[in-house]
Amino acid sequence: MSDTEHPGESHHRFRLLKGGKPVDEKRDDELLRAFLVGDEEALGELFERHQHTVYAIVRRYARSADDARDLTQRAFLRVLEAGRRTVGRTRGRKVIPFRPWLLRIAVNLGKNQVRDAARWRKAPLEAIDHAHSTEPHPADALERAERERMVRAAVVRLPKRQREVLTLRIDAELSFLEIASVLRITENNAKVHFHQAAKRLRAMVSEPEESAS
Amino acid sequence: MTTCSDFESLIRDRLTGDLDEAGAARLDAHLADCPACRAEADALADILALAKLPPPTQKEIQALGGVAESALHTFRFGERRRNLVRGLAVGIAVAAAVVVMALTPALMRGRSTTEPSLWQVPDLDALWAASSVVDPDALTENLEDGATETDLDVLGSGYMETSL
């Protein structure tokens, strides 16, 4: 397909990449307090609100779907423990900011999971590729699958901060403000890292193609 | 006159979702006329779409359904274990306090029977005999027996090597 055939398509693709839904953090705090005084339904709601975001974050770092599920559970347990301790220490006056803590813990758990660089190469690309490989691939789909594999492998080779910002944006669809809060950087810094990551990825993927031609 | 490099920042802003309506209109107008910039913008958008992980499978979503319950179970188990350990620690401390309180009087009584109940007057003669202090009476006797002053010097002052 030539670039001139569908000039509007790039705009459409850009729109798809917009992320970052606003989250009612006050509601999170209320739910956490409620759970810590015994309301188990509050925990169900907290999971419902955040488990898919946490799963999207840790999935990039996990070796398998079970691994990602386990990391999700551990992230929640750690933040609940932190909440229990804070509420205990302050006699219920204070409660931790639930979502920023949860997402930060999820990122840290993921990073711990792949501290060994060798693990990065195995995770999670193979597991996810296998999960999606049951459908028959026409030729163009095979080509796209191969490009996806190359790009995801290139993501692994990005500098750490660029990789973190990129994956929080495209996998978890966090806003740059939220990414900044999770990684403790400025919002502008997060945007710069994101743009650099995209440019570097493009360079990394196009290099072999250009050298081949 | 605007050049392609002027639109780089607009492409970046669109990627990060920061492009306002006026900027978007300017960029779209430029992209419609500039294949190079369109290719650049498409390539960046394409690379990000390829980098994104595929959505979770149905199996993954189903597995995620049980996480809340499992986490609740683990959290409650941890709470029960902590309460048990705390209860045990308190129980042990209380038991230790009771044991100490119960044994203290008996221990005190046992200790008092071994100590002297009254002040005993020391046997001064025995203490004197045990010491090496020179007996002045014996010294006088020696002088009377014809001891010289030199002998007295040898005997010394008599206030040495007292073992008391």
Side-chain angles (χ1 to χ4, degrees):
Chain A
M1 184 193 331
S2 76
D3 294 320
T4 50
E5 278 171 4
H6 302 286
E9 196 181 317
S10 62
H11 192 172
H12 178 66
R13 279 192 213 150
F14 276 130
R15 278 187 184 152
L16 283 177
L17 289 166
K18 279 192 178 181
K21 300 150 204 155
V23 177
D24 182 1
E25 292 192 3
K26 269 191 176 176
R27 178 71 186 142
D28 287 342
D29 297 346
E30 286 168 12
L31 289 168
L32 179 60
R33 271 179 205 278
F35 170 68
L36 291 173
V37 295
D39 180 359
E40 294 186 352
E41 282 181 15
L43 182 68
E45 194 176 334
L46 279 172
F47 265 86
E48 217 166 273
R49 288 163 69 86
H50 304 294
Q51 68 178 358
H52 292 287
T53 307
V54 174
Y55 188 78
I57 291 171
V58 298
R59 195 164 168 247
R60 175 75 68 169
Y61 300 91
R63 283 166 293 178
S64 65
D66 285 344
D67 212 13
R69 183 183 178 278
D70 183 49
L71 285 171
T72 303
Q73 181 177 319
R74 277 163 58 195
F76 271 93
L77 282 172
R78 290 223 182 152
V79 79
L80 292 174
E81 270 302 313
R84 185 189 61 76
R85 280 197 299 272
T86 312
V87 166
R89 268 203 301 269
T90 62
R91 292 166 196 258
R93 286 192 304 275
K94 278 187 185 172
V95 68
I96 54 163
F98 184 79
R99 185 172 160 96
W101 276 55
L102 177 67
L103 302 185
R104 198 173 297 153
I105 288 170
V107 171
N108 287 337
L109 281 176
K111 282 197 291 193
N112 292 348
Q113 181 80 358
V114 291
R115 197 172 284 158
D116 177 10
R119 274 177 157 183
W120 253 109
R121 271 177 233 123
K122 290 177 190 169
L125 312 172
E126 288 85 347
I128 286 166
D129 283 349
H130 284 307
H132 287 260
S133 65
T134 48
E135 297 162 19
H137 285 293
D140 57 341
L142 271 175
E143 193 188 322
R144 183 173 171 85
E146 177 59 19
R147 288 200 71 207
E148 279 177 352
R149 192 195 59 75
M150 276 174 61
V151 175
R152 284 188 221 141
V155 170
V156 172
R157 297 198 303 274
L158 283 174
K160 191 183 103 189
R161 191 59 95 193
Q162 288 180 17
R163 187 178 66 219
E164 286 169 358
V165 171
L166 182 87
T167 55
L168 285 175
R169 179 68 176 174
I170 64 174
D171 293 339
E173 298 185 353
L174 300 189
S175 68
F176 283 102
L177 188 63
E178 205 164 19
I179 292 171
S181 160
V182 171
L183 299 179
R184 295 179 180 178
I185 56 178
T186 64
E187 187 181 358
N188 195 46
N189 207 345
K191 287 178 180 177
V192 170
H193 280 305
F194 179 76
H195 188 239
Q196 284 174 346
K199 283 183 83 170
R200 193 182 279 246
L201 268 185
R202 198 194 157 205
M204 286 160 90
V205 173
S206 61
E207 268 167 20
E209 286 172 7
E210 282 163 12
S211 60
S213 62
Chain B
M1 183 185 167
T2 52
T3 61
C4 289
S5 60
D6 296 328
F7 289 94
E8 266 184 36
S9 64
L10 294 184
I11 292 174
R12 188 185 61 218
D13 287 349
R14 181 167 272 172
L15 275 183
T16 54
D18 287 336
L19 196 60
D20 57 20
E21 277 185 30
R26 273 182 66 213
L27 179 61
D28 286 338
H30 177 72
L31 292 182
D33 291 337
C34 179
C37 283
R38 196 163 53 247
E40 171 70 13
D42 275 352
L44 283 175
D46 197 36
I47 210 87
L48 292 174
L50 288 168
K52 188 175 164 67
L53 290 181
T57 60
Q58 203 55 41
K59 198 178 157 194
E60 283 178 279
I61 292 167
Q62 277 173 0
L64 208 51
V67 174
E69 204 174 318
S70 172
L72 177 64
H73 179 75
T74 310
F75 187 78
R76 292 291 182 231
F77 178 75
E79 262 185 345
R80 279 198 297 274
R81 198 177 52 187
R82 261 192 313 277
N83 289 340
L84 186 69
V85 169
R86 198 177 297 139
L88 271 175
V90 169
I92 289 168
V94 168
V98 167
V99 167
V100 168
M101 284 168 69
L103 290 181
T104 301
L107 285 171
M108 294 299 282
R109 271 200 304 277
R111 207 172 180 191
S112 65
T113 52
T114 59
E115 285 176 358
S117 56
L118 289 171
W119 166 252
Q120 292 177 347
V121 179
D123 185 353
L124 291 178
D125 291 335
L127 289 171
W128 186 252
S131 75
S132 59
V133 176
V134 174
D135 184 354
D137 293 339
L139 202 62
T140 316
E141 281 169 20
N142 284 339
L143 280 173
E144 283 168 359
D145 291 347
T148 62
E149 285 190 10
T150 315
D151 294 331
L152 286 174
D153 289 341
V154 170
L155 284 167
S157 67
Y159 292 99
M160 291 173 68
E161 297 175 8
T162 305
S163 61
L164 277 176

